[in-house]
Every structure is written in C-alpha cells, then in structure tokens.
Amino acid sequence: MNRQIARHWAAGLVGAFLWATQLSLLAAPGLFSSPTSVDEKAAPEKASGQAPEKAPPKSAKELRDEQLSISGRYARFERMLTQMADILAKQDPERADVIRRALGKGREDLLKDDIEAIVQLLEQGQLGDAAKKQNEVVDSLQALLVLLQSEDRRSSVERERERLNGLLKNVRNLLNEQRSARAATQNSKAPSEAAPGQQRALDGTEELLEQIQQHDRQGDNSEKAENSDGKDAGEQGEKGEQGKSGEPSDGKGDDKKKGAGEQGKAGEKSESGGDRKPGDSEQQDAEGSQKSEGSEQSGKSSKAGKSGKSSQAGQKGSQSQQSQSSPATPGREQLERAKEQMQEALEALRQQQREEALKNEDEAVEELQEAAEKLEEELRQLREEEKEMVLASLEARFQRMLLLQTEIHDSTKVLAATPKADWLDLNYSRCRELAQQQLELSRECSRTVVLLREDGSAAAILLAVEDIETDMQSVSGWLQNSDVSELTLSVQQDIIESLRQLIETTQKELQNMQNSPQQSQPSQPGGQQQQRLVELMAEIRVLRNLQLQVNRRTKQVDELLPAADASALPRLESQIRELAERQQRLLEAAKDLAKQAKQDGP
C-alpha cells in the first residue's frame, strides 16, 4: 500500500506541474496574438446569438509570477524525490532506482534551468521565446511522468513473460496433438475412427482459449481500477501542491462552481417549461439521439483499433505507460480460428468425409503454428523491454555508487595529506565515518550483485561488480583501522575506474538498443534462450580491464612487500590471496565467454 501511495504521489506531483505549466502556456499567447477584426468578432455573436465570454489576457508580470511559483515548486519536487529515493533505498532499491533515474533525467534535460530561464524571458517581455521554452518544459515533464509511472513495469513484464512461456508450451503441445490427429485421419480405415483424437485436440484448444479470455477480461478490469486510482492520486497531488505553495486563490474555482450552478438552474428552468420554445423538445431529442449514436460508434471504433495500437506500444517497451489499454493475448485470434477448423474437421470425420477433414486439419495446424509465432514475437519484445529496464537500473546504481565513491576517495586523500603523526581526534573520527560510508556503499553494491545473479546473462559484468564489492569491504576495514596508505588510495581509484567502465558499457548497450530496436539475437527452436544483458564483445572488454587491474595491483603489492612492516604485512598477504582468487575467476569467465563465442559462430 505504501509503495502505491509513493508511486501515485510522485506521479501526481508531476501531473500538477504539467497542469500549472500548461496553464501559463495557454495564458501567454493572449499577450501577443494577432488583432482580431470587427467582422471576426461579430461572426460568433451572430451565430450563437450571445456575446462570447473571453478571459482578459494576463500581463507579463502575472505570467512571470506564475512561472516563478512553478520554479519554486519544481525545486521542492526535486527535494521530495531525493528524500523518497533515500528512504526507499534499503527497503525497495528498484523503486529508488526509478526515482533516481527520474531525477537524473530532469537534470539531463536541464529542466530546472529551463524553468528559471522562462522567468527571465517573461521579465524581459520575450513572450514568444518564453512560450517556446514552456513547450519544451511540458514535453520534459511528460517524459518524467511516464518514467515515474513505469515503476511496476518490470515486475509486470516478468509475470507476463512467465504466462506467455506457459501458453507457448501449451500451444506447441496442441500443435503436436493436432498433427497426430491429422495423421490418424490420413491412415485410419474409417474417418470416424480418428474423431476421438481430433476431439482431444479441440478440447485442449477450448480450454486454453477459456484461460486466455478470462485473463484478458481480468486485465481490462484491473487497468480500469488502476487508471481511476492514478487519476485520484494525481488530483490529490495537484491539490496538495497548490495548498503547500501558500498562493492565494484567484477565485477561478469559485467562478466555475458559480457558473455550473447557474447552468444547473437554467437547465431546471427549461425542464419546467418556463422559457422553453415550441419545437425545442423534438430538436433536442434528435440531437441527443445523434450524440448517443456517435458515442456508440466511437466506442466501437476504439475497440476495433485497440489491438493495432497495442502492438505499437509493445515495440516502444518501457516508454509505454501503465495506463494504456492492455492488448489481447497474442495468438488468441489464431487459436479461435484453429478451433473453428477443428470443429469443422470433427464434423467432417463424423460424416466420413476424409478429404474435407484433412483440409480443415491442415488449416488448424497452420493457425496453431501462427499462434506460436505470435507468442514468440511477443516474448522477444518483452525480453528486449526487460533488458532495457535492467540496463537502466544498473546505470542508475553505478552512477550513484560512482558519485559516493568519488566523495569518499577525495575525503581519504585529504586525510592522507596530513602526516599520521599530526592526526587529531577529529582526523580519526573522520576516518571512521569514511569507513562506515564505504561499508554502506559495499552493501548497496551487494544488492546490485543479487540483481545481476538473478539475470544470469552477464558473467563478466557480475564478476566486475563482485570485485568492486570485495574492494569496498577491504577499504572499509582499512579505514576503520585508520589506514590511508598508498594501497588504500589505489584500491579506491580502481573502484572508481571500474564503475566508470561499467557505466560506459551500460550506456553504450542502451544506445545500441535505441539505434537498432528491431534487431534481435537468434533464438533456439524452443524459444527459451535467454537474451544477453550486454553483447559478447562488451563482456570481453570488461574482462580485459579486470585482467589489467589484477596485473597493476599485483605489481603494486610486489613493490610494497620489501618495505612492509609487521602491521602492513598481513594486509599485503591478504591481497595476494585475493588476487589469486580473482585470477582463477577470470580464467573461468574467459573459458565461458570463449564457449559462448564458439556457439554463436563467426
């Protein structure tokens, strides 16, 4: 429950900013719109018989004040997201990653700078440039909204992938059973003797279709409920932001309520027949009938175009919002047609019509094969989407770890610049603080190791993160003992370089996916081959850098050993054992990658 509240609250805040920004955007054109002729003004009055109500255009100062309020609210929004990410980091690291990605995207798009720039443009009276910049801000905020609403997308993708894998297995079983029924029809003395086998294939198809239809109905109902909850949360977030800003109400809400009340009274008056003209009733009934028919037609057309839109949303992957209508299960139409062909084949068998039954059974086999292909294609797209989400999550984690590790390294260098003999209690206390920070960072690295192990398709990346975790734990122990020697600083630098390389690897893989979204890795006939998180050459480069790191540290430890005193010797010996274990793991990883390269072929 708390997770849903956090998700809807964050999305609601972004929705409130979108509403406020678009309101300013709509108000701005009134200041620099082209003058309207008298005839143009009079035209709508003649058509409606009433003078149109126009809101007076806002001044540049009013727009500037509104935009300044939006700027302050966005600054508070960033602080709130940062606090939410810190709170969720231990309890729900994946959700915290999504929030940090949203923060990073906002900084990458220079959202805060753009909002502040709009304030300056409005102060200078450059309304055209301000409106253009506001459009860019709205687009960026909408992208943030999509990102924050996709928090639960990965778990839903995993569930859907498991479901489709089960369906694919069942469809293949049905395909084998239908082929057996077809063979029995071909070889039986009397066509009716093959009817029981065809009946079993038909029963299995009907049972599978019932499961699919039930799932699709439940999916539609759950999405309607979720959309309602999301809308309510967005309204609450908007109201909360308006309340927190402390801005005085401009009375627009009261005017709207008043207008609604007047309209209601007018409606009651017309119903009672007070001001109703003769013939109005028939005219209004006809118009209502036309509107009703139009709404029914639009509803039917939206349902008809639902499946076409859903395939496009599936190709976009994680960019699709949770609020979009879920498509029907892939292969459902083919299964329904296969069922019809099976029924016709069964009827033909009972009437001893062998040739007609064989024709229907061949059609059923083709439909089942097409259903399996549809499921395989959907599974491929889901694997692509899941891969993209995992890579984005990893990048966010690596970026955060790099930031924190750099701060720890810089503080360690400051401590190391002071000779140990001149250290005060403040220096020792600061060193212990750094040790604790390093230990906390190693725990976050450990959670990343768990994520990579669950994926299981990036051996070199996993090995690199495991080495980083070990190094962080070693550095934490050394700092706890007030050791800021050359080896401590060197290992910290190795951690930083490893994180930078991992960030570069994940970013490059994400870029490759965006540049070539339609390319996919070849799959085995079973369709169950796991897609690699990163390409093979990227893993080999990671492995190469790990080997170079082992070489450098081995050389460094060898240089430190002759001059090591009794207190430093155990630490160096421990490093030698650790380097030996790393070398063995590198050897095993290299063999695995060589085997994969051989399987892939030239």
Side-chain angles (χ1 to χ4, degrees):
M1 185 66 182
N2 292 333
R3 295 179 180 179
Q4 292 180 352
I5 292 174
R7 180 187 64 183
H8 290 154
W9 184 47
L13 289 178
V14 181
F17 294 136
L18 271 171
W19 174 82
T21 305
Q22 289 174 336
L23 185 63
S24 296
L25 186 60
L26 291 172
L31 290 172
F32 51 88
S33 59
S34 59
T36 307
S37 65
V38 176
D39 294 337
E40 290 176 346
K41 290 182 178 180
E45 296 178 8
K46 293 178 181 178
S48 62
Q50 298 179 1
E53 296 182 1
K54 286 188 176 180
K58 294 186 177 182
S59 65
K61 183 178 183 303
E62 289 176 326
L63 290 173
R64 181 257 182 196
D65 292 341
E66 288 184 3
Q67 191 64 46
L68 193 61
S69 172
I70 293 173
S71 177
R73 289 160 67 182
Y74 183 77
R76 292 195 298 273
F77 167 72
E78 278 194 330
R79 290 195 298 270
M80 290 177 186
L81 281 188
T82 303
Q83 293 172 359
M84 289 172 64
D86 292 339
I87 293 172
L88 293 173
K90 295 181 179 179
Q91 301 175 352
D92 196 345
E94 292 186 6
R95 203 172 300 274
D97 288 342
V98 173
I99 296 176
R100 291 191 183 110
R101 283 170 55 200
L103 283 168
K105 182 169 180 58
R107 296 188 181 107
E108 180 182 346
D109 294 344
L110 302 177
L111 251 177
K112 186 176 181 181
D113 295 340
D114 286 346
I115 293 174
E116 293 175 352
I118 295 172
V119 176
Q120 299 297 326
L121 290 172
L122 291 173
E123 285 181 347
Q124 298 169 6
Q126 300 179 17
L127 303 180
D129 293 339
K132 181 179 178 181
K133 184 70 71 174
Q134 282 176 330
N135 280 324
E136 297 175 0
V137 169
V138 168
D139 292 340
S140 298
L141 286 173
Q142 286 173 337
L144 278 187
L145 186 60
V146 171
L147 183 58
L148 287 171
Q149 288 178 331
S150 67
E151 294 177 27
D152 295 331
R153 180 58 182 161
R154 186 182 172 196
S155 60
S156 64
V157 166
E158 290 177 353
R159 291 193 299 269
E160 181 68 3
R161 183 164 52 82
E162 292 177 0
R163 185 180 76 91
L164 293 183
N165 274 324
L167 290 179
L168 182 58
K169 181 180 178 181
N170 291 334
V171 169
R172 288 191 177 124
N173 291 336
L174 287 175
L175 185 57
N176 293 332
E177 195 164 357
Q178 180 59 43
R179 285 171 176 164
S180 299
R182 201 264 184 205
T185 301
Q186 180 72 37
N187 301 323
S188 61
K189 293 182 180 180
S192 58
E193 295 178 0
Q198 185 59 70
Q199 183 67 56
R200 286 193 297 271
L202 176 60
D203 292 341
T205 304
E206 289 178 341
E207 182 180 354
L208 186 59
L209 271 173
E210 178 60 28
Q211 295 176 5
I212 292 175
Q213 292 167 358
Q214 183 180 1
H215 172 272
D216 292 345
R217 287 194 297 267
Q218 291 176 349
D220 291 339
N221 294 334
S222 63
E223 284 200 348
K224 288 178 182 178
E226 183 177 352
N227 292 341
S228 177
D229 293 342
K231 182 178 179 181
D232 294 341
E235 293 175 354
Q236 291 175 2
E238 180 180 326
K239 292 177 181 179
E241 274 299 306
Q242 292 175 354
K244 289 180 181 178
S245 61
E247 297 173 1
S249 173
D250 56 1
K252 291 183 179 179
D254 296 337
D255 291 343
K256 290 182 180 178
K257 293 180 180 178
K258 182 179 179 182
E262 292 175 354
Q263 291 177 2
K265 292 179 180 179
E268 294 174 359
K269 188 176 182 180
S270 63
E271 289 178 1
S272 63
D275 295 335
R276 198 165 181 173
K277 296 179 180 180
D280 286 353
S281 176
E282 296 177 359
Q283 182 179 357
Q284 290 177 2
D285 292 342
E287 291 176 355
S289 176
Q290 292 175 359
K291 289 181 181 179
S292 176
E293 292 175 0
S295 63
E296 291 178 0
Q297 292 176 358
S298 63
K300 293 179 181 178
S301 63
S302 64
K303 291 180 180 178
K306 189 175 181 181
S307 60
K309 292 180 181 179
S310 64
S311 61
Q312 297 176 358
Q315 293 176 357
K316 291 182 180 179
S318 62
Q319 296 176 358
S320 65
Q321 299 185 22
Q322 288 276 12
S323 59
Q324 294 177 347
S325 298
S326 63
T329 298
R332 173 175 167 177
E333 295 180 2
Q334 288 73 23
L335 285 172
E336 290 174 346
R337 291 197 293 267
K339 171 187 170 183
E340 294 174 0
Q341 295 296 332
M342 291 177 187
Q343 289 173 337
E344 294 179 6
L346 184 60
E347 185 65 24
L349 288 172
R350 290 170 178 169
Q351 296 177 6
Q352 306 297 336
Q353 299 175 0
R354 188 189 304 271
E355 294 301 325
E356 186 66 23
L358 287 173
K359 180 181 176 181
N360 294 132
E361 287 173 337
D362 288 338
E363 292 288 339
V365 168
E366 291 180 4
E367 294 294 347
L368 289 173
Q369 288 175 336
E370 188 176 350
E373 292 173 359
K374 291 285 186 181
L375 288 169
E376 288 173 349
E377 175 62 20
E378 184 67 17
L379 282 168
R380 185 194 67 78
Q381 292 183 8
L382 288 176
R383 285 192 291 267
E384 285 281 338
E385 185 177 355
E386 189 175 13
K387 172 183 173 181
E388 184 177 355
M389 287 186 289
V390 171
L391 286 171
S393 176
L394 286 173
E395 183 195 356
R397 289 169 182 257
F398 294 150
Q399 292 279 14
R400 173 173 168 78
M401 286 191 286
L402 176 62
L403 177 64
L404 296 177
Q405 185 61 55
T406 303
E407 293 176 355
I408 294 173
H409 180 59
D410 292 341
S411 298
T412 306
K413 286 195 295 185
V414 172
L415 286 175
T418 303
K420 198 69 173 289
D422 297 336
W423 275 29
L424 303 174
D425 291 342
L426 184 63
N427 300 95
Y428 287 102
S429 176
R430 177 57 178 159
C431 197
R432 289 191 293 271
E433 289 177 3
L434 293 176
Q436 184 61 31
Q437 293 175 11
Q438 190 70 77
L439 182 61
E440 290 293 333
L441 193 55
S442 70
R443 292 171 181 166
E444 185 167 344
C445 188
S446 177
R447 290 190 287 268
T448 306
V449 168
V450 172
L451 175 64
L452 286 166
R453 284 176 180 165
E454 290 176 353
D455 178 78
S457 64
I461 303 294
L462 173 60
L463 186 60
V465 178
E466 287 176 340
D467 288 349
I468 290 174
E469 179 188 7
T470 302
D471 286 341
M472 286 181 176
Q473 291 172 349
S474 298
V475 170
S476 176
W478 298 339
L479 291 174
Q480 189 66 37
N481 294 326
S482 304
D483 185 351
V484 291
S485 62
E486 180 182 351
L487 182 61
T488 302
L489 295 172
S490 176
V491 172
Q492 285 181 335
Q493 188 62 42
D494 286 344
I495 295 172
I496 292 174
E497 291 178 1
S498 296
L499 288 171
R500 285 174 178 166
Q501 189 213 1
L502 291 174
I503 291 171
E504 180 183 356
T505 300
T506 53
Q507 287 178 341
K508 188 175 295 185
E509 189 67 25
L510 283 169
Q511 187 65 36
N512 291 339
M513 292 182 65
Q514 294 173 0
N515 293 338
S516 55
Q518 299 301 327
Q519 294 182 4
S520 61
Q521 298 174 358
S523 60
Q524 295 176 349
Q528 300 296 325
Q529 183 183 17
Q530 186 175 17
Q531 192 176 32
R532 290 197 189 96
L533 188 60
V534 296
E535 62 178 8
L536 185 62
M537 288 304 299
E539 287 206 75
I540 293 174
R541 286 192 293 268
V542 171
L543 211 62
R544 174 181 176 273
N545 288 337
L546 290 175
Q547 182 62 62
L548 291 175
Q549 189 179 100
V550 170
N551 295 348
R552 288 195 303 269
R553 195 173 301 180
T554 301
K555 183 178 179 180
Q556 183 181 20
V557 171
D558 182 60
E559 292 174 352
L560 293 174
L561 271 174
D565 55 16
S567 60
L569 191 59
R571 184 184 59 176
L572 294 175
E573 291 176 347
S574 175
Q575 274 294 295
I576 293 174
R577 290 191 296 271
E578 174 62 30
L579 289 171
E581 294 176 1
R582 289 191 183 187
Q583 189 63 65
Q584 182 62 35
R585 292 201 302 271
L586 282 172
L587 177 60
E588 295 173 358
K591 289 180 179 179
D592 291 339
L593 291 180
K595 187 182 298 183
Q596 293 178 21
K598 187 176 181 180
Q599 291 175 353
D600 292 346

